[in-house]
Amino acid sequence: MANPVAPWGNAQFDGFAKVTEIGPLGMITLRAKRDVAGLEAAFAALGLTLPDPRRIVIAGDKAAGWMSPDEYLLILPYGAVNDALASLATSLAGQHHLAANVSDARAVFRIEGDKADQVLKKIAPVDIDTLAVGELRRSRAAQVAAAFWKDGQGYTLVCFRSVAGYMMGLLSHSATSGSELV
Amino acid sequence: MLTLECPYCGVMADETELSPGYEAHLKRYGPGSSDEEFEAYMFARKNPKGVHFERWRHAYGCGKWFLAARDTATLEVFGTYPAQSSAPPQDLQDKIKAKRPDWKGYK
Amino acid sequence: MSTRLSKGGRLIDRAQAVEFSFNGKRLRGFAGDTLAASLLANDQMLMGRSFKYHRARGAVASGAEEPNALVNLGRGAFLEPNQRATTTETFDGLEAQSQNHWPSLEMDIGVVNNALARFLPGGFYYKTFIHPRAAWKHVFEPIIRKAAGLGPAPKEMDGDRYEQAYAFCDVLVAGGGIAGLQAALAAAADGARVMVLEQTPVWGGRAPVDGDVIDGMAADLWVKTAVQALEGMPNVTLRTRCMVAGVYDHGYVLAEDRVADHTPGDGRPKKRLWRIRAKRIVAATGALERPLSFAGNDVPGVMLASAVRDYVVNWAVSPGDRTVIVTNNDDAYRTAIALKEAGLSVPCIVDARAVANGPLPTQARALGIRVETGKGIAKVKGTKRVTGVTLCMQAGEGAGLEDIACDAVAMSGGWSPVVHLWSHCGGKLTWDDAHAMFRPDATRPPISHDGLAMVYPAGAANGALKAAEALVDAALAGASAAWANPIAAAQADMREEAALEPVWIMPQGASYKLRAKMWLDYQNDVKVSDVQLAAREGYESVEHTKRYTTLGMATDQGKLSNINGLAVLAGALNTDIPNVGTTTFRPPYTPVTLGALAGEARGEIFQPLRRSPIHAWNEQANAYFEPVGLWRRPYCFPRGGENHAQAIEREILNTRIGVGMLDASTLGKLIVKGPDAGRFLDMMYTNVMSSLGIGKCRYGLMCNENGFLSDDGVVVRLAEDTWLCHTTTGGADRIHAHMEDWLQCEWWDWQVYVANVTEEYAQIAVAGPKARALLEKLGGMDVSAEALPFMSFAEGTLGGLPVRAYRISFSGELSYELAVPASFGLELWEKLVAAGADLGVMPYGTEAMHIMRAEKGFIMIGDETDGTVIPQDLNLGWAISKKKADYLGKRGQERSYLASADRWTLAGFETLDGSVIPDGAYIIAAGVNANGQGNTQGRVTSTYYSPTLKKGIAMGLIKGGLARAGEVVEFTKLGASPVKARIVDPVFYDKEGAKQNG
C-alpha cells in the first residue's frame, strides 16, 4: 500500500503569513455524551485528555477537541487510527457511541507567522483577537465550514477534503503580501 | 444580520453561522390525525409582529438545533434554549412577560 | 476664474506636485488635493452634465454629498465610473474623464433636452412611455439608453484586488471629526475596544476649517493631540479613508476601506470591506449644508458656502474671484470672512433674514463686506459659468432689484444632521423647528439584541451644530455607548450665532418660470416645479413623490435634496414638514464598489468548487465537467475529435458490452448507529430498514412530512446496531441535517448517532459484463457471484488497497461499487484503469450514467421528482411498507388528493418515429382550459436517445399511468408538430435483471 496523499498535495504559500497544507492526519469522529461511562478512560487509553467544551487538548502528535456536547474530534498519527478505533470499541463496549474514521474526509492547514491571525480575520466571522490558546472554534471560512485553533506560532485549520483547493486559494489570497491589515 | 447565542457551545454566533428552522414548539401529527390537525401541523404558521419562538441550527458551529425567543419587529432576543424543550423555560417566559406585558403566551 | 491661491491650504503639500489628466488634458495639482480641488485650481469648473437635461455642472460640494462632479477614473480593466471628484484623492498619473455627454463636455448634443425641459416634467417617464407598447422596445429605450445614464459599465474584468475582513469592538465610532474623536476618548477611557472610522483621509472634520478653538488650542492642534492620545491606547483602532456604509441588525456594520485607491499598483488591495460586529455605535457623522432653491442654483460656480470655505482653507483654491454669498443663517458669513482673509472679493452677502446683527455679520461688515438683508437671488446669470446674480426681495415675486457681477455664488440654507446611520436600523427622527432640521429622537433609538439602544448620535449628527455643544454631546454619547463613566468634555469657545430662518424657495413668491429653474436634485434634474406638480397630481406620500419625480434617487441618494424637497412638498400640500416625513434611509451611505462587496469571491475562489479524490485524473482524461451542487462531475470524456453525444454513446456501449468505471465519490454516505437506529431508519425511510440483514443492501426512499419524495439511495447494514445510508450527491448535507433535525428536535430520547462520512471515501462504480474479471485481475478478495451476490457487500482488499465492495447497480449491468479511503481513491482508480486496459475499460460520465439508468427505468431524484411527486406516483409502492404504523410522509400521503386515482403516474414512452421527445414536453389532452390554453394529461421527466436501443426513450408522468400501456399519445414540440409516442413499460433494457444479478 502506498502512502496516503494529502488532498491538495501538501501545497505551500508564502505571503505575509505562511500557509501549508499538512497531513494527512489520523482523525476520528467520536459521538458520545459526556456522561457515558468510561469516556475519560477511553480517552486516557489513547493518551488523550477529555477536553472541556470548546477546547482542544494537545499532547504531542495527538489531540482531542470538543466539537459539540456529544461529539469529539480525536487527532492522531494517520497510521494509528485503526488501533485507536479498536481501543475505543473496547473501552466503550456496551455504551452508546459512534466512532468513525474521518482521516481522509478532511484537509488540514497550518497558518504561521506574526500576522497569521490576520489571515483568519479575513475569512471567519469570529473575534480572533479573543480566541484563547487551546480554544477550538467551529465556524465558517468564507463559504465553507471550518474548525480552527491557535497553537504555537500559528493556527491549525481543518475543513472538508473536497474543498481543499478552495481553502488553499482562500488562505493564499488572504495571506498575499501587501494585504496586511494595518 | 442577527447574532444568537448558541445554548450548547456558548458562542455568540453570527447569523451566517446559523440556519433557520422556522416556528418552534410544533407538535407533530402523524397517521391517525385528523385533516385539521395535520393541516395545522404542516401549514398553519404564526406570523406575529412581536414575540415569536423559532428554531435555529448552529449549522457551521456545533451543529445543534436550538430555540430562540425574539421580537420580530424590534429584533430583541429574549433568550435561547436547547431544542429538547417542550415549552420555553419558565424564567424566559417571565422575562418576556415583564418586557411585553401584552404578550399572550407562547402557545 | 477659479485658481490656486499663492498661500495657505492646510491639507496640501506644495512641495509635492502631482500630474494627472482630465479628458486627456494634462494638469497639475498637489499631494493632498481632491480631484475637485485640483480641477478648480486649473480653472476647470465644468465637471459633468446632469442626467436628464445634460446641463453643465460643476462641483457644488466638497465631500461625499456631491451630486454633480462625477467622473470616470482609470481605463480598461481599471475603469471606475461615477466617482465623486470631491472625494477622489489626486495622485500622480490619475486619469479622469467626465461623463454623460456626447460628443464632448463642452459641446453636448443632449443639452437639447434642456431646451425641451418644459415638455419633460416630473413623472415624464411614467406618462410618456406607456403607449404604444411596441414603442418602448424600438423607440424609447434605445434613445434613453444613449442619452441618459452616468458613466459606462467597465467592459473588462476588474484588474484590482479586493478583500473583506471581520472586526469586533465594543464601540464603533463613525466619523473622525471633533465629535467622533471626543466620543472615542470617552468610550475608550475605561478600556472598551473602540474603532474610529473616518471616511476622508484626514481627521478633524469641519472644525479646523471653521476656525474653532478647543481647550485653548486651534482645532487642528486639538485634533492632532486627540488622535495621538487615541493612537496611544491599545484598545483603540483608528482608520481613515474608511466609510461606514451601513448599520444593520444587532450591531452589524459594513465599512468600505479605500486602502489603495490613491496608490494604485502598490500591491495592496484596492478596497477592503470591513464586516464589523459592534456592541454599540456612535454616529458622529456630522451635518450637511443645504442648498437654497433659487433660479439657476445649478450653474457651475454656485456652491455650498461650506464647500467654498473648504476649497479656500483646505486646498488654497478660490472657486471665483468675486463670490456672492446667499444665506439664511450666520454660518455662511464664515465663508465671506474666509474669502476676504484670503484676499478675494465678496461683492455682497445676500441674507434672506430681515435682520443680521450677530457677531459674524458684524465681523463681516467690519471687513467692509456689503450685507443686504431681506433679499434673495432672483436668478443666476450664465450657463457654463456664473457671470452674475440678480437680487430681489425675499418676500416678493422675484422682480429684479440689482444685478451684481460675480463668478461664484456661495449658498447656505442651513444644516441637516447626517442621520443615516441612526436611521438604517429603525431609529426615529424628530423635527427641530428652531434649526429647521430632522435630528435623532433619543427616545426612539434603533435597538440591539438586548433591547437596548444600539446607536448613539453625537455632535452635529445629533443636531449639536456648534463645536462647544458637539463636544459635550459627544463625550456623553461615547461614555454612554461604552457603558463607561463619563469624562469631562473638551471645551470649545462659544460664538453666538443668530437663529436661521427657513427658506425653502427664493424668493418666497417666485413665478413658475423661476421655480422651473430651481434645482432640488441636481443629478436627476428634479426642480421645485416638478415636486409641486407631483403634489397637484395627487402625490401626497413622500415615498411616492420620490419615485414619481426621481427626487433623491441618484447616486447621492438625496443628501442635498431630500430636506428641501420635503419642504417644498409640504408647502405644496399646505402641511408641516414633520407631517410629510422623510423617505427611508437605506445603506450604503455612499456607493460601495461591487468589487468590495464581492471581496475575494472571484476567479478560482468565486465559490467553493468541490473536487472528488479522482478529480485530477478526470481533468487529465479530458473530462467535460458539469456542476452538481458545488461538485464538478465528469459529464463525459470526449476522445479524439468526438463530440459529447459521440463520447456518451461510446461510454455506454463500452459499459454494456465490456466494462466502464464511474467516479461515484460524491454520493452521500451517512453512518447511523445506536440501539434505536433501526427504529429511526424505519421512520426516515418509507420501507423497512430494521429488518435488513447484516451484510445486505436495500434500496430506500425518503419522503418529507408532506409525503413527497425527497431522496433515495442504497442502505447497507454494517452491523447489528450500525447502518450506512447512501444519499444522492446533492442530498448528503441536506439529509444529514434532516436526520439531525428529527433526532435533536423530535425523538431526542432515542439513542442514535449519525456521522457524515461522505468525504472519507472515494467510491468507484465498476460496471459491465467484464466488471468481475477486472476486479479479479486486481485480486485480493472473492468477488464471485456466490461470495458476493447482488445487493450484498464484502470488505477486503483489491490491488492491496482496503475496500468495501457493494454489489449494487444503477446501470443495470453486473456492477460493483468500491469504497476506498479517499487518500487511496486515485490509486485504486489508476490500478483499475491499468488492469483493465486489455478488457477495454473506459471511464464514463454522469450523462452515460443517466441514460443507462433511464434504459433500466430507474428514477432519478430531480428528474422524476420535483417536490410534488410521491413514491406511489412512480410505481414505487413496493418500497413503501404497508405494515409500518408510521414513517415520515405517511400521513401526508393519506390526504385525499395524493391518494387520488387521477394522479399522473410513471410510464415509459417510445416515439413512433424513433426520435427523442423534447425535454420538458407536455402530453396533450383534448380541449382547452379556462384561459384558452391546451389541456395536458402528463409530462416527460427523462428523455434520451438510447445508444443501446438505438432510438428515443423516455419516462414521464401521465394520467392513468401504465394502465394505459399500448396507447399512443402526443407530446408537445416547440415550433413543430407534436411527437407521437406509445405508452410502454419504463424498463427498456434487461427487464428480468439477469445482467445486474449475474
Side-chain angles (χ1 to χ4, degrees), chain C residues 18-257:
Chain C
V18 293
E19 204 170 87
F20 68 101
S21 73
F22 180 69
N23 289 344
K25 197 162 55 171
R26 299 185 76 77
L27 300 170
R28 287 164 73 87
F30 291 124
D33 267 346
T34 62
L35 177 58
S38 294
L39 290 171
L40 288 173
N42 286 280
D43 197 27
Q44 182 67 49
M45 176 63 80
L46 182 57
M47 295 186 196
R49 294 272 174 178
S50 67
F51 191 83
K52 188 166 155 191
Y53 302 137
H54 292 238
R55 283 175 66 93
R57 292 288 167 74
V60 66
S62 57
E65 70 273 36
E66 175 61 36
N68 287 340
L70 301 185
V71 296
N72 301 323
L73 294 180
R75 65 165 87 169
F78 301 94
L79 173 67
E80 281 185 288
N82 306 338
Q83 298 301 301
R84 290 173 303 281
T86 52
T87 56
T88 299
E89 293 171 61
T90 307
F91 57 84
D92 222 21
L94 177 148
E95 286 181 76
Q97 300 271 339
S98 55
Q99 53 194 35
N100 199 27
H101 55 72
W102 182 78
S104 77
L105 180 60
E106 294 294 325
M107 174 61 212
D108 178 20
I109 301 283
V111 78
V112 69
N113 286 357
N114 190 28
L116 299 176
R118 53 185 291 243
F119 303 113
L120 302 172
F124 167 75
Y125 299 102
Y126 293 98
K127 289 166 180 160
T128 309
F129 302 128
I130 298 176
H131 303 290
R133 287 181 74 112
W136 175 255
K137 189 173 174 192
H138 301 293
V139 182
F140 303 143
E141 188 182 330
I143 291 175
I144 291 171
R145 285 211 184 279
K146 189 167 171 74
L150 298 168
K155 289 194 170 60
E156 291 177 41
M157 183 169 163
D158 194 325
D160 278 303
R161 271 171 55 81
Y162 300 87
E163 64 179 31
Q164 303 185 346
Y166 295 86
F168 294 77
C169 61
D170 296 318
V171 177
L172 178 110
V173 180
I178 58 169
L181 297 173
Q182 174 67 78
L185 287 166
D190 282 0
R193 290 165 84 189
V194 175
M195 285 183 84
V196 193
L197 307 183
E198 161 58 36
Q199 62 183 347
T200 74
V202 288
W203 299 103
R206 295 207 56 77
V209 177
D210 290 352
D212 287 310
V213 175
I214 305 171
D215 282 351
M217 294 176 255
D220 256 334
L221 184 56
W222 183 86
V223 166
K224 197 174 162 190
T225 311
V227 170
Q228 277 173 354
L230 290 166
E231 280 172 345
M233 300 170 89
N235 54 324
V236 177
T237 307
L238 295 155
R239 277 183 215 292
T240 53
R241 298 187 174 96
C242 192
M243 185 271 299
V244 176
V247 171
Y248 305 82
D249 308 334
H250 294 184
Y252 186 61
V253 172
L254 289 184
E256 189 192 48
D257 192 346

Side-chain angles (χ1 to χ4, degrees), chain C residues 14 36 49 71 131 156 220 240 303 331 342 441 466 501 527 548 643 647 697 748 750:
Chain C
R14 288 180 192 261
R49 294 272 174 178
V71 296
H131 303 290
E156 291 177 41
D220 256 334
T240 53
M303 287 186 181
D331 182 62
D441 180 349
K466 298 190 188 80
E501 206 169 284
K527 299 158 294 173
Y548 188 58
N643 62 25
C697 308
W748 62 73
W750 293 14

Side-chain angles (χ1 to χ4, degrees), chain B residues 1 28 35 41 65 75 77, chain C residues 250 277 449 705 744 891:
Chain B
M1 272 277 274
R28 178 173 185 259
D35 282 353
Y41 159 54
W65 281 95
L75 306 189
V77 179
Chain C
H250 294 184
R277 203 51 96 156
H449 60 88
E705 273 285 66
Q744 292 178 36
R891 176 63 184 87

